[in-house]
């Protein structure tokens, strides 16, 4: 078997065993060695115990997805297993980090397992020797716990596993030594350095039967940083002047809430954890009403509770940015697994007709830029804006040039009038400010805005339909005027977005015969699949859709008119983006098919290749990981 171009390393163990932190340090070390890196997390809905793993993919070329399978397994066992026997209902959890990771290990791959935890009986129970022979795997049993205990505690077996990996893959251990030295101190630092050294030496001494090494880093043109989508959303919000956040913890939204809470005080901002998501959204609306750029957010179940406050923000035309971090549902569903099942929920939740902006960024860079744009539009047009992403994008890390974030901060409060401008603006005979003016003087649909405390800016804010100064009104003519003006903002926003660089991302030859459409976190995986399809003789291009409301009708019409057929790739069971496209464009039902995945795992490039070939009549899906739904009438 030829050597892999990229190292795709998976570390598996129990939740609470330091798998995530070890993988982050491993990725950071490889990035510093000059490689591009990408990580993917898989973890259970348990505080401690339960099979968890993280993949780190590293190579010199673009590394934008988890890849197809993986080629190196470091398994540490589950130290917090509740059921360490085969007779338990869920099986031997202690051994699951090994047993549940073998199906995706590529032919010719490497297995390093901790024989300090798993005895011969455990290994024989899964026929590891026989399976290794069938698949050409190279198995290295190592007493990682034994190495750790020589210098301190069992927990350092993670460091031992990294040291052994470095020796097998011919990676300079100096990068890992630097990470340990910078992140630890005292006896703990010295003990971990010694464990790393001993494991590395042992890895050099054993016979290397695999015959391949990690790619040698070619270096980066500029300084790199390792960030997740959650980091980028948070930094985008702060740079755009957000100084207030309120929330209640819920996976996977908690990451953004935590990062913002840790950083806002450095900029004079405030973070509030409240009793539930209703209070969180309402508090953010109150802060925004008072003149502060504010945000809140949640995941599916918590976002459902925000339905009423969201409608209030729409009716009172209070700027607000919400983050919706999707996970598998309905109800509690699979709280720590990715899915894109909340699209319709995000677009239409609240009361009556929705007037909101919805962006779905696809990677770290888009999380940063589109969060900033969400704030800009929210505060310029006095409208709620929602940034939708999912558990995959929330936790995956990738390296990005540090200079990408060298953007000017923006504290502009948007369309708030000065007191001088308020004095010249329209007022009622009672001297109340016409906050909800029917026909704004600038010809837009955005009424003039004041904030509490401004002289001459007094008005009423109510969740009921209201007249120009905010008094409750059920007058039919007023209702139509106010509703049309609020909804007209979406047309204004679409016009602004059309005049700027597109948020939609295109990939592949412009004259391709077939298309693939996707959104959010699956975009870069789709793009990798498109490259593979074109290399094997297909004619395919793709578009990742970020503007979900207001919808990019012109762009999507041009894309669909340019291809014979398009497959919509998304992580849900009902084809929600496909349905949204057909609703917005009013046609193309006979031109759109769906490739759906909703088993708790994101797409791999090979999934999309297989799905496209199925849609093209070249084959059938060879497994049940995905579902293909043909176009209407097929």
């Amino acid at each position: 078997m030829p050597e892999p171009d990229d190292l795709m390393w998976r570390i598996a163990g129990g939740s609470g065993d330091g798998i995530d932190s070890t993988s982050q340090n491993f990725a950071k070390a490889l990035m510093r060695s000059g490689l591009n890196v990408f990580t993917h997390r898989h973890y259970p809905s348990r505080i401690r115990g339960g099979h968890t793993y993280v993949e780190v993919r590293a190579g010199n070329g673009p590394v934008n997805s988890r890849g197809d399978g993986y080629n190196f397994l470091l398994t540490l066992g589950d130290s917090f297993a509740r059921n360490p026997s085969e007779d338990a209902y869920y099986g031997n959890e202690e051994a699951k980090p090994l047993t549940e990771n073998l199906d995706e290990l590529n032919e010719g791959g490497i297995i390093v397992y901790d024989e300090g935890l798993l005895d011969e009986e455990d290994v024989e129970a899964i026929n590891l020797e026989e399976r290794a022979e069938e698949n050409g795997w190279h198995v290295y049993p190592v007493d990682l716990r034994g190495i750790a205990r020589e210098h301190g505690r069992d927990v350092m077996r993670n460091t031992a596993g990294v040291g052994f990996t470095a020796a097998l893959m011919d990676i300079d251990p100096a990068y890992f030594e630097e990470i340990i030295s910078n992140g630890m101190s005292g006896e703990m630092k010295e003990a971990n350095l010694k464990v790393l050294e001993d494991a590395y030496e042992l890895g050099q001494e054993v016979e290397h039967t695999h015959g391949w090494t990690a790619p040698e880093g070619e270096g980066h043109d500029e300084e790199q940083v390792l960030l997740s989508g959650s980091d980028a959303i948070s930094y985008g919000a702060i740079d755009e002047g957000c100084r207030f956040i309120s929330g209640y913890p819920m996976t996977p939204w908690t990451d953004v809430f935590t990062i913002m809470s840790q950083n806002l005080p450095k900029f004079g901002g405030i973070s509030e954890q409240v009793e539930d998501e209703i209070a969180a959204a309402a508090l953010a609306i109150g802060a925004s009403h008072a003149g502060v750029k504010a945000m809140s957010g949640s995941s599916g179940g918590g976002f459902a509770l925000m339905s009423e406050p969201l409608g209030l923000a729409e009716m009172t035309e209070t700027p607000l940015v919400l983050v919706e971090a999707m996970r598998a549902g309905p109800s509690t569903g699979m709280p720590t697994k990715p899915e894109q099942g909340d699209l319709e929920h995000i677009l239409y939740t609240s009361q009556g007709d929705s007037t909101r902006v919805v962006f779905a960024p696809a990677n770290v860079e888009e999380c940063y830029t589109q969060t900033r744009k969400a704030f800009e539009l929210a505060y310029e047009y006095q409208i709620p804006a929602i940034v939708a992403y999912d558990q995959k994008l929330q936790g995956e890390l990738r390296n990005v040039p540090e200079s990408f974030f060298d953007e000017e901060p923006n504290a502009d409060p948007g369309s708030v009038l000065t007191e001088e401008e308020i004095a010249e603006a329209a007022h009622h005979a009672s001297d109340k400010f016409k906050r909800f003016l029917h026909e704004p003087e600038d010809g837009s649909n955005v009424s003039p805005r004041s904030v509490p405390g401004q002289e001459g800016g007094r008005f009423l804010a109510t969740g009921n339909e209201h007249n120009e100064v905010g008094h409750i009104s059920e007058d039919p003519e007023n209702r139509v005027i106010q509703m049309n003006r609020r909804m007209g903002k979406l047309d204004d926003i679409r016009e602004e977005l059309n005049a700027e660089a597109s948020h939609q991302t295109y990939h592949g030859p412009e004259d391709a015969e077939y298309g693939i459409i996707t959104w959010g976190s699956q975009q870069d995986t789709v793009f990798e699949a498109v490259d593979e399809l074109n290399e094997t003789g297909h004619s395919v291009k793709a578009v990742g859709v970020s503007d979900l409301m207001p919808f990019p009708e012109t762009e999507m019409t041009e894309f669909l008119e340019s291809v014979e057929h398009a497959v919509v790739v998304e992580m849900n069971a009902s084809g929600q983006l496909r349905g949204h496209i057909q609703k917005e464009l009013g046609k193309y039902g006979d031109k759109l098919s769906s490739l759906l995945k909703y088993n708790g795992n994101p797409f791999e490039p090979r999934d999309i290749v297989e799905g496209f070939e199925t849609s093209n009549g070249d084959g059938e899906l060879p497994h049940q990981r995905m579902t293909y739904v043909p176009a209407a009438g097929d």
Side-chain angles (χ1 to χ4, degrees), residues 362-403:
N363 50 43
V364 168
E365 296 94 333
E366 291 185 8
C367 281
Y368 177 80
T369 58
Q370 291 178 24
T371 297
R372 294 198 65 167
K373 191 64 181 179
F375 271 95
E376 179 186 330
L377 294 176
Y379 280 82
E380 186 61 39
Y381 289 90
Q382 304 166 20
I383 191 171
I386 301 171
V387 178
Y389 78 139
D390 60 52
Q391 185 270 342
K392 175 182 182 294
L393 188 51
Q394 163 256 333
E396 67 189 20
L397 299 170
R398 65 173 76 186
N399 62 294
V400 182
E402 187 178 42
S403 63

Side-chain angles (χ1 to χ4, degrees), residues 27 30-31 35-39 56-58 63 226 397-399:
L30 294 181
M31 179 184 74
L35 295 169
N36 294 313
V37 297
F38 180 97
T39 75
V56 178
R57 183 181 180 185
V63 179
L226 193 65
L397 299 170
R398 65 173 76 186
N399 62 294

Side-chain angles (χ1 to χ4, degrees), residues 507-514 516 526-542 609 612:
H507 191 80
E510 289 186 15
D511 60 350
E513 190 176 359
Y514 297 98
I516 299 179
V526 166
F527 289 175
E528 185 170 335
V530 165
D531 289 339
E532 184 177 336
L533 285 164
N534 284 305
E535 287 170 6
T536 56
H538 295 284
S539 178
V540 193
K541 63 181 177 181
V609 169
F612 173 82

Side-chain angles (χ1 to χ4, degrees), residues 9 11-12 19 22 72-77 111-118 140-166 168 194-196 198-200 202-203:
W9 180 82
I11 179 172
I19 303 302
T22 302
F72 192 117
L73 173 62
L74 169 63
T75 174
L76 304 175
I111 299 173
V112 175
Y113 72 87
D114 186 1
E115 64 177 350
L117 175 70
L118 301 180
Y140 298 90
V142 187
D143 186 3
L144 300 174
R145 276 169 172 71
I147 297 173
R149 286 171 184 156
E150 285 184 22
H151 303 285
R153 302 186 305 167
D154 280 9
V155 69
M156 291 188 290
R157 68 193 176 282
N158 297 21
T159 302
V162 168
F164 198 82
T165 296
L168 290 185
K194 190 61 180 172
V195 168
L196 181 75
D198 286 2
Y200 183 80
L202 178 61

Side-chain angles (χ1 to χ4, degrees), residues 6 37 189 223 241 254 272 335 344 362-363 415 543 585 606 624:
D6 294 343
V37 297
K189 180 182 79 172
E223 195 72 24
T254 305
E272 288 287 342
E344 293 176 349
N363 50 43
S415 54
V543 58
L585 301 184
R606 63 185 174 191
Q624 296 300 314

Side-chain angles (χ1 to χ4, degrees), residues 438-454:
H438 281 174
E439 297 181 0
E441 294 178 2
D442 62 1
S444 73
N445 289 292
V446 181
S447 297
R449 181 183 175 215
S450 64
V451 296
Q454 288 185 304

Side-chain angles (χ1 to χ4, degrees), residues 185-408:
S185 60
E187 293 182 3
M188 183 61 68
K189 180 182 79 172
E190 296 306 319
N192 272 277
L193 287 172
K194 190 61 180 172
V195 168
L196 181 75
E197 179 185 353
D198 286 2
Y200 183 80
E201 289 178 357
L202 178 61
Q204 288 184 308
E205 293 170 3
V206 301
E207 180 185 359
H208 292 195
T209 63
H210 51 278
W212 58 279
T213 61
E216 185 175 349
E218 296 176 357
H220 302 288
D221 294 335
E222 56 181 299
E223 195 72 24
Q224 302 286 302
V225 290
L226 193 65
L227 297 177
S228 69
S230 298
D231 291 319
I233 288 172
S234 302
Y235 301 152
I238 290 171
D239 281 356
E240 201 57 29
C242 177
R243 293 298 179 265
F244 181 88
I245 189 170
S246 49
Y248 185 84
M250 187 175 189
T251 302
W253 137 261
T254 305
D255 264 16
V256 167
F257 187 38
T258 301
I259 295 166
M260 289 290 289
S261 298
Q262 291 169 341
N263 286 280
L264 271 182
K266 302 174 187 176
F267 301 92
I270 295 173
S271 167
E272 288 287 342
Q273 180 175 323
V274 293
E275 64 271 25
D276 57 39
E277 289 83 359
I278 301 173
L283 205 61
I285 290 171
S288 183
H289 175 77
V292 179
K293 284 188 175 179
M295 72 183 296
S296 185
S298 190
S299 298
F303 189 78
L305 293 177
M306 294 181 168
S307 173
E308 188 170 1
L310 179 56
L312 176 65
E314 292 177 328
M315 177 59 82
T316 59
E317 301 179 62
T318 305
L320 176 68
V321 174
L322 297 176
V323 174
E324 214 275 21
M326 294 176 285
R327 64 190 203 181
S331 189
T332 312
M334 297 193 291
T336 62
K337 302 299 183 288
E339 201 161 281
Q340 296 175 303
D342 289 353
L343 176 56
E344 293 176 349
H345 181 46
I346 294 166
L347 291 173
Y348 307 120
T349 191
S350 81
Q351 314 78 43
D353 295 301
S354 299
T355 52
R356 67 195 65 169
V357 174
V358 179
F359 291 146
N363 50 43
V364 168
E365 296 94 333
E366 291 185 8
C367 281
Y368 177 80
T369 58
Q370 291 178 24
T371 297
R372 294 198 65 167
K373 191 64 181 179
F375 271 95
E376 179 186 330
L377 294 176
Y379 280 82
E380 186 61 39
Y381 289 90
Q382 304 166 20
I383 191 171
I386 301 171
V387 178
Y389 78 139
D390 60 52
Q391 185 270 342
K392 175 182 182 294
L393 188 51
Q394 163 256 333
E396 67 189 20
L397 299 170
R398 65 173 76 186
N399 62 294
V400 182
E402 187 178 42
S403 63
F404 180 83
F405 303 96
D406 291 341
E407 301 287 337
E408 288 296 318

